[in-house]
Amino acid sequence: MTMTPGASPETAVDDKFAQAISLLVAARTVTVLCHVQPDADTIGSGLALAIVLKRRGVDVEVSFATPSELPESMNELPGRELLVAADSVHRDVDLVVSVDAGSRGRLGALAECLDSADATLVIDHHRSNTRFGTLNVVDPAAESTTAVIARLLDAWNVEIDVDIAHCLFAGLVTDTGSFRWVRPGSHLLAERLLATGIDGASIARRLLDSHPFGWLPMLGSVLGSATLVPDAVGGLGLVYAAILRTDSAGLRSEEIESVIDIVRTTAEAEVAAVLKQQDADEWTVSLRAKSSVDVSVVAAALGGGGHRNAAGFTAYGTKDAVIAALIDALG
């Protein structure tokens, strides 16, 4: 992205909003794509934008490739009636919008939709974003993609009402870890969204603090086998745990994804990793760092991407082989 002298990264992104709005206004058919294994930031961003487009008379749909159903914790998000199954997504539309996906690969099987659309718009906040759209509105400094969507709607003079605010707050509260990782303006945006009348405590509780009883024995099994490698990361330490398919049977994706936020609290380790078994020798790996290590660089080296302090990748092989490759990449 080219910046004018003295312009901040945020200003450079804001300069793209007029072009993005032009694409959105011109389109009569739009598909909004969320990333695989969707979290509240990608779904919240997609539904907020789709609500706006639907109100403008646009034929709009939202989808994600996997899993086959929306995570249960997001079932109360407004606009979910605009979600369609991956195998029902229209392939011939005026515009495809990707939200919160750092690369084509994060869209899974639906990435092919990008090739048949007249134009593609990427809206994201991952520093590792590969700029795979016709137009890319990417702000690595933003705390969530929903925060970028909020600024886009302001530039469009669209009122953020209670339904849109609900979707935007869902992404903001989850991607900031209940406002533990914020930037200047994060709390101002939260206050503005709350002022519409949404119940922020209820939204946060459903997304972050509600688990079925089966989560507890899974957690006990996984955390009981966690391993600390104090000499890894140049002596800063690595802690890792693995969630086998037998551990996670019957649990929702949000239960599985939540484990990394417990493992990362290990005081003796700068970096935390959780390996989640997909098939016999396929693993998705979540990485978290405290402050000294940029795990987005590590993830990118292993075929993934993400943020400085939160990233991930997919690996193939035995658990020991995946861990060995990770330790090697961490240095």
Side-chain angles (χ1 to χ4, degrees):
M1 179 183 297
T2 302
M3 290 174 55
T4 56
S8 69
E10 183 172 291
T11 300
V13 173
D14 289 346
D15 290 343
K16 296 278 189 177
F17 287 153
Q19 300 173 61
I21 292 166
S22 293
L23 285 176
L24 292 165
V25 168
R28 303 316 304 158
T29 54
V30 176
T31 295
V32 183
L33 298 180
C34 303
H35 61 67
V36 295
Q37 302 302 323
D39 58 14
D41 194 25
T42 191
I43 295 294
S45 296
L47 293 181
L49 186 59
I51 289 170
V52 172
L53 292 170
K54 184 68 174 179
R55 290 173 180 173
R56 296 177 62 88
V58 176
D59 183 2
V60 59
E61 59 188 10
V62 183
S63 191
F64 50 89
T66 56
S68 58
E69 295 183 359
L70 182 70
E72 186 178 331
S73 62
M74 303 177 212
N75 278 344
E76 294 182 358
L77 290 178
R80 59 195 176 282
E81 69 277 2
L82 300 174
L83 286 166
V84 300
D87 58 5
S88 299
V89 172
H90 293 113
R91 293 306 197 267
D92 250 340
V93 294
D94 298 333
L95 177 66
V96 168
V97 184
S98 166
V99 287
D100 199 46
S103 66
R104 282 180 60 108
R106 288 288 285 153
L107 299 175
L110 290 178
E112 65 183 33
C113 295
L114 299 167
D115 302 323
S116 55
D118 293 343
T120 54
L121 170 61
V122 170
I123 305 175
D124 190 27
H125 72 132
H126 292 90
R127 186 170 62 172
S128 59
N129 190 284
T130 58
R131 273 70 173 179
F132 55 97
T134 304
L135 176 65
N136 303 288
V137 181
V138 181
D139 185 1
E143 56 273 80
S144 67
T145 297
T146 57
V148 181
I149 295 288
R151 284 162 44 207
L152 171 64
L153 297 183
D154 285 344
W156 201 358
N157 292 318
V158 171
E159 178 189 358
I160 296 178
D161 63 12
V162 65
D163 284 348
I164 297 171
H166 187 147
C167 293
L168 297 181
F169 188 83
L172 183 64
V173 73
T174 52
D175 262 33
T176 58
S178 290
F179 301 99
R180 285 177 288 176
W181 313 298
V182 294
R183 61 187 291 271
S186 300
H187 290 96
L188 291 175
L189 175 57
E191 181 178 2
R192 177 184 172 196
L193 298 176
L194 291 168
T196 65
I198 61 172
D199 186 341
S202 176
I203 294 169
R205 183 168 55 252
R206 182 165 179 81
L207 291 170
L208 297 167
D209 293 328
S210 298
H211 302 286
F213 178 78
W215 180 71
L216 295 177
M218 180 274 287
L219 202 59
S221 174
V222 171
L223 296 183
S225 63
T227 301
L228 178 66
V229 188
D231 295 333
V233 201
L236 295 175
L238 165 71
V239 60
Y240 68 86
I243 304 176
L244 305 180
R245 285 183 298 172
T246 51
D247 295 320
S248 60
L251 291 177
R252 307 174 303 182
S253 61
E254 50 260 57
E255 267 67 68
I256 298 168
E257 296 302 322
S258 70
V259 175
I260 186 63
D261 289 320
I262 299 173
V263 175
R264 70 185 298 274
T265 63
T266 302
E268 298 90 341
E270 163 66 22
V271 175
V274 170
L275 289 71
K276 295 154 288 185
Q277 189 178 37
Q278 306 302 308
D279 289 316
D281 285 324
E282 179 184 355
W283 307 82
T284 57
V285 184
S286 296
L287 300 176
R288 298 292 186 271
K290 289 185 171 69
S291 60
S292 302
V293 175
D294 185 345
V295 289
S296 72
V297 174
V298 176
L302 296 169
H307 306 287
R308 177 180 177 84
N309 296 322
F313 62 95
T314 299
Y316 299 88
T318 65
K319 181 185 76 171
D320 290 345
V322 173
I323 289 297
L326 174 59
I327 291 174
D328 184 62
L330 285 166

